[in-house]
Structures are given as structure tokens and as C-alpha cells.
């Protein structure tokens, strides 16, 4: 990973000093060994701070919205899963291709610091990964953990190491984590519950939400300029707990709005400070779309029309959805 | 706890019979004309049904439906032209996909999908319009008041 980071720094400096791009979106070192943050670099000198390791989970594609608005040609480092988001933004016509310089960046799975800490590790000073083993150095000593145990949840539904869009690539592709068997297993478990149980499950799950809107802000499919959640008059945006329905509404609207456009990057669930399992709602829509209208993967290119802007004459009737959606 | 059949009936007073509020979104070209047809043919349907005329069933943002429930509707019915007969050629095909996904999601979240219905009613089907509305009102009356999707703050 250090080799890759060096190549990235070099590439960023080249692009900036040649004037090929005006800014570079990447990650900057945080204060700890595991809290790198997204950052925009505008000068070759600043690129000394550019880092890349297993703690760069953030999908940077959404920075391209501002880049397009400001008409700044932007180089952006994209892990394989992040490339889907860029395509979706291009398809939604929210980002203009001329302002994007996409750099495919190898990834072998990002790590979840919460899962690492859950092994009782404190005072972590350095974390490195090699060949499926995560070496955690702490002030008390070093411990090895199996990589698969501490991968981010989103990396357990990895779509592979291919870039869906890339103007150039950094180094060689790495082997990405094997995805879990059935991506829809959790959805099917809920579908199998009786309606009252399903209602209770969601009520409990969604009442954790503090309406911070982090899930909306990170999402490459959530890119409207005006959003109902910013309208205080709409009874869906309140931050204080007022009514359980409001929670259902917020999540129903959020998930529905990205249905057919959600690329399944899992960022919304990752950034949620409350651990709401909101990815399940996205997965449910994906599963329904696949079942009703044929396999579809949002973001795999920037042109295929989304399932909700196309139709066939023989589409299933809404009345059948209640039952059919469960198959 | 929020249960499906909890109504706010006061046990001491004789409870007034439950009168559901039904919102019907009707496409101007077929179903609304169908409702007119029901009127001219003197076919009765319950007064619980409040019709909102829309230019096309496709005009109905799924949020309209959710909002109707939130603001106190006990049932919502969306009526459009039969698939293939849309005045704007293809509008109702999109409606069909949207509503299919919405229904499936409501079901997934454990909200009774029987409260939401989609029917294709042509301008010449006045009698059928009245039948559909009558049966829908009966169905919702049997289900009782909507509590799962109603915002309690909107309750008078
Ligand atoms: S809804 Fe979540 S998983 Fe889907 S594109 Fe947005 S952030 Fe990614
Ligand atoms: S990130 Fe989590 S807590 Fe914040 S609005 Fe989304 S679901 Fe709610």
C-alpha cells in the first residue's frame, strides 16, 4: 500500500504541476493511525500530505459535484467500488465528464476500526495488512488479526476489482475481498417475518436515526440541489423525535429516491453514526428491480437508462408486488 | 403500541361508526371521466372517497401517496388509464413501475399494502369505477383506521 501511496503522490504532483488538472481529490492523514479524511489538494507541494492505506473508505465521487459547479478540472482517486458512483453522477447529469480525470486506485478491502477495537485493542499506533493478515501495533505490543474479520461491512459485498470508469490507473490491480455468498440474504430473512414483526423491526431500527443526514450527504445517488429534507415545513426532516411515522417517512423517501440509482456502495450505512441498517432498504429495492425488471447494476456505465425511466408492456402489476416481492 | 386495529374509540360513549377517509388520485382522461360516467349513470359510490384530479397517473409522485397517509388518509387509491391507453402514450407504464416498487417496500416495512390500491379504469367504465370505490371503502372500513403511516401530530 505504501508503494501505491507513493505512486499516487507522484501522479497528483505531475497532474497539478503540468496544469492538466486544477485540483486533486484524495485522502489526507488524520491524527490517528486510522482516521484518514478526504481532502482536496490544489498545489504539488501540498501533495506531500496525500496518503492511502486501508483506512481510506470514503468514496470521493461526490466532490465532483462541487468541481463541476466551479468548473474546475479535478483528478479523483477512485477505488473500484467508487467508480460506480462517478458513473451514476454522470448519468444523472450532475457531473460533467470534461471536469473529471478518473484515476483507478487498487484496493484490497478497507478496514473497520470498530471491529478491530472489538478485539480489545487499545492504544493503536499502526496498522498494516499483508496477505490476509492485519498487524495491529499498539503501545502494549503487536497483535495479528485475520483480515476478513475486520473488513468494513461494505467490503464484504465487494463488486470486484474492475474500474467502471478510469482515465488512468495506479499500479497493478489488487485482489479484492471475496463477496459474501448471497447479497440479499438479510433482505430475505426480513421478508420471511410476519408483517407485524417486520413493522416492529423497522420501527426499532429507524428510531435510532438522529436525522443527521450523513447518509444523504455521502451518497453519490443523492445529488439534488433542493431536497425535501431541507424543508422544515415537510414533516420528515425534524431532528427531535416527534413521531415514529416521521422516521419511517424519512427512510422510505431516502431509499425510494435512490432506488434504481443506488450503486450499492454501502457508504450510507458506513457513515451512519447510529448504526442504522439502512442498507437493507436499498438492497430490497435492488432485489425487487432484479426480480421484476431483470438484473440491473446502477453505475456500471453512464448510459443505460435506469429501470424507473423505462418499461415493458408486460410489467408486473403493483397489486402483485406484495406477494411477488417476497419470492 | 402501534397496532393495526387500535382505534381511538371511547368505551363509555357509544362509538361512532368508523368512517374511513379515502383519497383517490384519478387521471383526467380516463378515471376522472369514469367517475363522471358513474355520476351520469347514477351509480352510487360512498362519499368517503375524495377525488384528486391529476393530468396523468404518472403525475402522482409517490410522495403524494405517503403524504396522504401521513396527513390522515386511511386508504389511497390511484386510478389511471389501462396500460396502453395512456393519453400521453406511456405515462401509466411508469406509474406501474413506481407503484410496484412502492407497494413492495411498504410491504417490506410491515405496513399493510391493502391500504393502497392501483386500478386501471377507462372513461367508459363508470359502473366499474363505482364498484371499485365501493369495494375499496368496504375493505378499508374493515381494516380500521390507519395508524402505521399517520403522523399523530396531524390528528385533530
Ligand atoms: S444509497 Fe447508500 S449504497 Fe446506495 S449509492 Fe447511496 S450511499 Fe451508496
Ligand atoms: S446517517 Fe444514520 S442517523 Fe444520520 S440520518 Fe442517516 S440513518 Fe439517520
Amino acid at each position: 500500500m505504501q508503494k501505491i501511496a507513493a505512486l499516487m503522490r507522484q501522479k497528483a504532483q505531475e497532474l497539478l504541476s503540468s496544469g492538466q488538472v486544477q485540483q486533486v481529490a484524495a485522502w489526507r492523514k488524520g491524527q490517528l493511525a486510522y482516521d484518514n479524511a478526504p481532502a482536496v489538494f490544489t498545489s504539488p507541494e501540498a501533495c506531500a500530505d496525500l496518503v492511502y492505506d486501508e483506512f481510506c473508505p470514503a468514496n470521493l465521487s461526490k466532490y465532483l459535484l462541487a468541481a463541476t459547479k466551479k468548473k474546475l478540472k479535478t483528478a479523483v482517486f477512485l477505488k473500484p467500488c467508487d467508480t460506480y458512483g462517478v458513473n451514476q453522477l454522470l448519468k444523472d447529469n450532475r457531473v460533467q465528464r470534461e471536469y473529471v480525470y478518473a484515476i483507478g486506485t487498487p484496493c484490497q478491502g478497507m478496514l473497520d476500526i470498530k471491529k478491530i477495537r472489538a478485539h480489545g485493542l487499545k492504544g493503536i499506533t499502526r496498522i498494516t495488512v499483508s496477505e490476509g493478515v492485519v498487524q495491529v501495533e499498539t503501545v502494549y505490543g503487536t497483535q495479528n488479526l485475520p483480515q476478513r474479520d475486520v473488513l468494513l461491512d461494505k467490503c464484504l459485498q465487494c463488486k470486484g476489482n474492475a474500474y467502471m470508469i478510469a482515465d488512468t490507473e495506479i499500479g497493478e490491480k489488487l485482489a479484492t475481498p471475496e463477496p459474501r455468498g448471497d447479497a440479499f440474504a438479510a433482505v430475505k430473512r426480513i421478508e420471511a417475518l410476519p408483517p407485524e414483526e417486520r413493522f416492529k423491526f423497522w420501527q426499532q431500527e429507524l428510531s435510532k436515526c438522529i436525522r443527521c443526514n450523513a447518509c444523504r450527504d455521502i451518497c453519490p445517488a443523492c445529488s439534488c440541489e433542493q431536497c425535501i429534507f431541507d424543508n422544515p415545513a415537510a414533516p420528515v426532516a425534524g431532528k427531535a423525535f416527534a413521531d415514529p411515522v416521521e422516521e419511517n417517512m424519512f427512510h422510505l423517501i431516502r431509499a425510494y429516491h435512490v432506488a434504481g440509482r443506488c450503486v450499492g456502495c454501502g457508504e450510507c450505512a458506513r457513515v451512519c453514526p447510529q448504526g442504522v441498517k439502512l442498507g437493507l432498504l436499498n438492497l430490497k429495492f435492488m432485489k425487487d428491480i432484479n426480480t421484476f425488471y431483470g438484473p440491473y447494476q446502477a453505475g456500471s456505465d453512464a448510459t443505460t437508462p435506469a429501470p424507473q425511466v423505462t418499461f415493458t408492456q408486460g410489467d408486473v402489476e403493483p397489486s402483485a408486488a406484495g406477494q411477488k416481492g417476497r419470492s | 403500541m402501534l397496532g393495526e386495529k387500535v382505534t381511538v374509540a371511547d368505551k363509555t360513549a357509544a362509538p361512532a361508526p368508523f368512517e374511513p377517509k379515502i383519497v383517490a388520485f384519478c387521471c383526467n382522461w380516463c378515471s376522472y371521466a369514469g367517475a363522471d360516467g358513474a355520476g351520469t349513470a347514477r351509480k352510487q359510490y360512498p362519499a368517503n372517497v375524495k377525488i384528486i384530479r391529476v393530468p396523468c397517473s404518472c403525475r402522482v409522485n409517490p410522495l403524494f401517496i405517503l403524504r396522504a397517509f401521513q396527513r390522515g388518509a386511511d386508504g389511497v387509491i390511484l386510478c389511471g388509464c389501462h396500460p396502453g391507453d395512456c393519453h400521453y402514450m406511456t405515462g401509466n407504464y411508469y406509474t406501474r413501475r413506481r407503484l410496484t416498487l412502492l407497494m413492495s417496500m411498504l410491504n417490506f416495512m410491515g405496513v399493510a399494502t391493502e391500504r393502497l390500491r392501483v386500478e386501471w379504469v377507462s372513461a367508459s367504465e363508470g359502473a366499474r369505477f363505482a364498484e371499485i370505490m365501493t369495494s375499496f371503502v368496504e375493505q378499508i372500513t374493515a381494516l380500521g383506521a390507519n395508524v402505521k403511516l399517520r403522523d399523530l401530530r396531524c390528528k385533530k
Side-chain angles (χ1 to χ4, degrees), chain A residues 46-309:
Chain A
C47 294
D49 288 344
L50 192 157
V51 293
Y52 186 65
D53 57 24
E54 278 77 16
F55 291 95
C56 296
N59 179 350
L60 304 172
S61 52
K62 230 168 156 195
Y63 284 81
L64 297 171
L65 279 180
T68 292
K69 220 178 270 172
K70 294 184 199 152
K71 301 200 188 317
L72 292 176
K73 175 95 182 186
T74 303
V76 56
F77 289 101
L78 301 166
K79 304 184 292 298
C81 57
D82 302 340
T83 56
Y84 291 82
V86 176
N87 272 337
Q88 189 57 43
L89 286 162
L90 289 169
K91 187 190 289 182
D92 290 342
N93 220 357
R94 307 289 291 120
V95 162
Q96 302 298 316
R97 186 68 177 93
E98 59 190 295
Y99 298 117
V100 181
Y101 186 78
I103 311 175
T105 311
C107 174
Q108 51 182 356
M110 292 286 147
L111 303 181
D112 188 340
I113 188 64
K114 287 192 214 122
K115 291 188 186 172
I116 294 177
R117 286 216 189 96
H119 283 84
L121 296 172
K122 292 202 173 99
I124 297 167
T125 51
R126 188 153 178 265
I127 300 169
T128 45
V129 183
S130 94
E131 311 200 345
V133 178
V134 178
Q135 193 179 57
V136 186
E137 293 170 32
T138 74
V139 290
Y140 310 106
T142 302
Q143 191 171 335
N144 287 340
L145 301 170
Q147 184 197 15
R148 200 161 173 89
D149 288 1
V150 292
L151 281 173
L152 280 173
D153 281 345
K154 71 166 188 168
C155 298
L156 293 169
Q157 55 191 58
C158 182
K159 289 191 275 290
N161 64 2
Y163 306 115
M164 300 296 118
I165 180 172
D167 294 311
T168 184
E169 292 179 22
I170 294 283
E172 297 284 313
K173 288 194 182 74
L174 295 174
T176 43
E178 270 303 305
R180 268 195 209 122
D182 182 1
F184 299 118
V187 173
K188 288 179 189 160
R189 264 200 302 280
I190 297 175
E191 284 173 347
L193 297 173
E196 281 309 313
E197 298 282 311
R198 291 204 291 274
F199 187 69
K200 252 191 231 149
F201 169 82
W202 284 111
Q203 204 91 83
Q204 259 166 19
E205 198 54 41
L206 302 181
S207 63
K208 292 191 232 160
C209 173
I210 53 171
R211 229 63 54 71
C212 64
N213 282 323
C215 51
R216 172 189 72 160
D217 294 345
I218 191 80
C219 174
C222 252
S223 55
C224 301
E225 299 221 338
Q226 286 190 339
C227 176
I228 182 171
F229 300 140
D230 292 330
N231 176 3
V236 289
K239 290 204 165 69
F241 174 80
D243 188 273
V245 168
E246 188 163 334
E247 250 115 39
N248 282 350
M249 287 291 169
F250 176 87
H251 285 277
L252 201 53
I253 294 168
R254 192 204 63 81
Y256 194 101
H257 196 86
V258 297
R261 300 186 305 114
C262 164
V263 299
C265 65
E267 281 287 90
C268 47
R270 178 184 71 83
V271 298
C272 176
Q274 294 293 94
V276 176
K277 295 198 185 85
L278 72 175
L280 282 176
L281 296 174
N282 303 326
L283 281 169
K284 168 66 179 167
F285 275 126
M286 276 185 225
K287 177 170 174 284
D288 279 352
I289 285 168
N290 290 345
T291 320
F292 296 143
Y293 311 124
Y296 179 78
Q297 169 64 55
S300 54
D301 62 57
T303 46
T304 313
Q308 273 151 298
V309 297

Side-chain angles (χ1 to χ4, degrees), chain B residues 16-68:
Chain B
F18 170 62
E19 285 291 339
K21 282 200 198 80
I22 310 286
V23 173
F25 291 101
C26 292
C27 143
N28 180 43
W29 303 102
C30 295
S31 319
Y32 195 80
D36 266 352
T40 37
R42 295 176 176 267
K43 293 278 180 207
Q44 293 274 341
Y45 64 90
N48 309 55
V49 180
K50 311 288 177 219
I51 295 181
I52 297 177
R53 178 161 65 153
V54 287
C56 175
S57 60
C58 174
R59 172 67 185 87
V60 178
N61 180 333
L63 193 56
F64 294 0
I65 296 170
L66 297 177
R67 185 60 64 82

